[in-house]
């Protein structure tokens, strides 16, 4: 199972061709792909047209959707953020810390195109696609 980050979904739905969207296109229907509730909210809130929103919602909700936070994951995310900050690295977006931590804790590879995940890969064992 591969978790796909909002950075990839947003490009995918906008028709922006990147290495990550090509990978996603090749994965869909071939390998199990999932999303998370945080990612679902991030992606869907950006749609302006109802028709586009409904199409994206249908696709994303057809995938397994993981509940990504809760108290235990919130605490672990805070710890991971602090560990990186102690090394002089400040992650710009809290939600990326939560997503990375969830993937690390659940051993889920992450498909992304966001540089905020790189420290988690380099220092914390985040698996990426």
């Amino acid at each position: 199972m591969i978790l796909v980050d909002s950075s990839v979904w947003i490009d995918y739905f906008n028709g922006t061709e990147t290495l990550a969207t090509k990978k996603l296109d090749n994965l869909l229907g071939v390998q199990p792909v999932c999303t998370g509730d945080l990612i679902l909210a991030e992606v869907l809130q950006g749609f302006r047209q109802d028709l586009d929103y409904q199409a994206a919602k249908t696709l994303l909700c057809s995938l397994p959707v993981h509940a990504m936070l809760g108290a235990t994951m919130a605490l672990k995310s805070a710890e991971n953020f602090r560990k990186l900050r102690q090394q002089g690295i400040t992650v710009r977006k809290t939600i990326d810390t939560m997503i990375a931590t969830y993937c690390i804790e659940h051993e889920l590879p992450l498909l992304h195109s966001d540089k905020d995940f790189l420290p988690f890969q380099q220092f914390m064992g985040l698996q990426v696609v």
Side-chain angles (χ1 to χ4, degrees):
M1 182 84 54
I2 296 168
L3 191 122
V4 180
D5 180 54
S6 56
S7 58
V8 178
W9 285 118
I10 290 167
D11 284 343
Y12 185 80
F13 288 124
N14 284 330
T16 304
E17 193 172 292
T18 66
L19 186 58
T21 59
K22 287 179 189 177
K23 284 182 185 179
L24 175 59
D25 215 26
N26 291 332
L27 290 170
L28 289 172
V30 176
Q31 197 165 352
V33 171
C34 64
T35 191
D37 53 1
L38 299 173
I39 295 164
L40 193 63
E42 261 191 321
V43 173
L44 293 178
Q45 72 186 3
F47 284 94
R48 294 185 182 176
Q49 303 298 319
D50 287 340
L51 193 60
D52 296 334
Y53 168 82
Q54 290 300 334
K57 179 180 169 188
T58 298
L59 172 62
L60 291 172
C61 289
S62 72
L63 303 171
V65 179
H66 292 237
M68 299 183 82
L69 202 51
T72 301
M73 290 306 301
L75 292 169
K76 188 66 179 170
S77 295
E79 291 169 11
N80 285 345
F81 182 92
R82 294 182 74 248
K83 285 178 188 175
L84 288 174
R85 190 174 57 198
Q86 288 168 354
Q87 294 181 45
I89 301 164
T90 301
V91 179
R92 296 174 302 145
K93 294 177 258 169
T94 301
I95 199 163
D96 289 343
T97 300
M98 295 171 182
I99 292 166
T101 299
Y102 184 86
C103 288
I104 292 165
E105 293 297 309
H106 293 87
E107 298 180 354
L108 277 173
L110 179 66
L111 177 60
H112 72 88
S113 59
D114 186 332
K115 66 181 180 179
D116 277 341
F117 292 110
L118 298 177
F120 293 98
Q121 180 182 354
Q122 186 176 1
F123 299 108
M124 300 188 144
L126 175 65
Q127 301 171 45
V128 297
V129 177

